[in-house]
Amino acid sequence: MNRMERPLKSNEWVSRELYSRITSGAILPGDKLPSVVDLAAEYGVGRSTIREALSALKAKGLLDIRQGGGTFVLTPEPAQLEDSSPAALKEDWLGRADSLLQLLEVRKVLETGCAALATKHRSADDLAALRETLRQMEQQLADEAFSEQADVRLHEQIAAATHNPMLIELMKSLSIRLHESMRDTRSLWFYAERQSARRLLEEHIALVDAIEQQDEALASSRMEIHLAKVEQVLRDKTATL
């Protein structure tokens, strides 16, 4: 098993969850799925994410999506099924969880340091950029795709506020992995915690407040607590397997 396997995207998480429910018999052939709106609320994601997940399952021959008529579960052919045994699903999940935990360790080291250093070196322009991103996040709270992009941008802006070229370059060199971690742990958080968009925004606001107040210990602590909560959600899910 590849322990550095790419973490799942939001739509892939939802697709896997629905796939498991269909193949385990929790949802039976002929059943009509809840609407896109209801599924989005159930999984705590945007409607576009649900549509992508349903399209993937339709491509597997598991769903019949009728325009204006709803989405129905089909009887899958054996050739259409992946290895969905409990042991296989557990092994796949543990590999992905291991990868996410490794990325979280990297984020803890880098981003708690960035938050602390930003309190010393942030400029008025840095603070203005951070506040503008927070403002946009609040305005687009229900837009999952925008929120993910803004989340990544905010963390990049905190790194930029350190004004340490070597640290900024290090963050850039890890950009792809860090972006995957931010995006996919956000998906985990939203799946585990309903009404999480507002809670995440409040945590980001508190973090920026600490940077503005130039409280090095508080900024580092708030970043660490933020990442520790995501880690706990991941460990809780792993423990249920």
Side-chain angles (χ1 to χ4, degrees):
M1 178 172 51
N2 181 6
R3 287 301 198 185
M4 291 304 293
E5 186 176 2
R6 177 185 63 78
L8 294 177
K9 298 178 182 179
S10 300
N11 61 295
E12 292 171 335
W13 279 110
V14 175
S15 180
R16 286 286 180 110
E17 292 287 342
L18 287 172
Y19 178 89
S20 178
R21 290 167 66 184
I22 292 171
T23 56
S24 69
I27 304 176
L28 298 173
D31 284 353
K32 183 178 180 180
L33 293 184
S35 69
V36 169
V37 173
D38 289 341
L39 285 172
E42 178 181 350
Y43 285 100
V45 298
R47 297 179 191 180
S48 61
T49 294
I50 295 297
R51 293 190 185 98
E52 290 174 4
L54 296 180
S55 293
L57 292 173
K58 178 183 179 181
K60 291 180 182 291
L62 296 174
L63 295 178
D64 176 20
I65 301 177
R66 304 172 188 174
Q67 188 66 33
T71 300
F72 295 84
V73 177
L74 299 176
T75 302
E77 298 294 333
Q80 295 170 323
L81 296 177
E82 303 168 358
D83 184 355
S84 58
S85 66
L89 291 174
K90 180 176 180 178
E91 182 180 12
D92 179 72
W93 162 250
L94 290 177
R96 295 184 182 281
D98 197 26
S99 177
L100 278 172
L101 285 170
Q102 291 171 13
L103 287 166
L104 278 169
E105 288 177 348
V106 173
R107 290 189 63 191
K108 281 183 181 179
V109 172
L110 285 179
E111 297 195 67
T112 55
C114 283
L117 199 57
T119 66
K120 296 180 177 180
H121 302 297
R122 91 290 186 279
S123 66
D125 287 343
D126 292 326
L127 289 174
L130 288 166
R131 292 296 181 190
E132 174 60 20
T133 299
L134 289 173
R135 185 190 66 80
Q136 293 177 6
M137 290 173 74
E138 185 163 23
Q139 284 188 335
Q140 303 290 333
L141 208 58
D143 187 328
E144 183 196 6
F146 181 89
S147 295
E148 288 178 3
Q149 294 169 5
D151 195 342
V152 171
R153 184 165 65 253
L154 187 79
H155 285 263
E156 289 179 335
Q157 288 170 337
I158 291 172
T162 67
H163 293 273
N164 182 314
M166 293 184 67
L167 184 53
I168 295 170
E169 188 61 32
L170 179 59
M171 288 285 285
K172 286 182 179 178
S173 71
L174 295 171
S175 178
I176 294 176
R177 284 278 182 193
L178 291 172
H179 284 210
E180 287 178 349
S181 173
M182 290 181 209
R183 182 191 63 227
D184 296 308
T185 51
R186 256 184 90 90
S187 302
L188 262 180
W189 181 278
F190 271 76
Y191 181 72
E193 298 284 342
R194 301 300 183 255
Q195 306 300 321
S196 289
R198 171 59 61 178
R199 192 172 308 168
L200 281 172
L201 175 63
E202 290 172 353
E203 289 191 8
H204 285 118
I205 291 173
L207 176 58
V208 173
D209 285 345
I211 292 173
E212 183 171 13
Q213 295 162 14
Q214 296 189 299
D215 191 326
E216 181 178 351
L218 185 61
S220 180
S221 175
R222 285 179 174 172
M223 178 68 83
E224 185 174 9
I225 290 171
H226 171 63
L227 295 175
K229 287 182 179 179
V230 177
E231 180 181 0
Q232 190 58 52
V233 170
L234 176 59
R235 292 190 183 280
D236 287 347
K237 181 172 177 63
T238 302
T240 63
L241 295 180

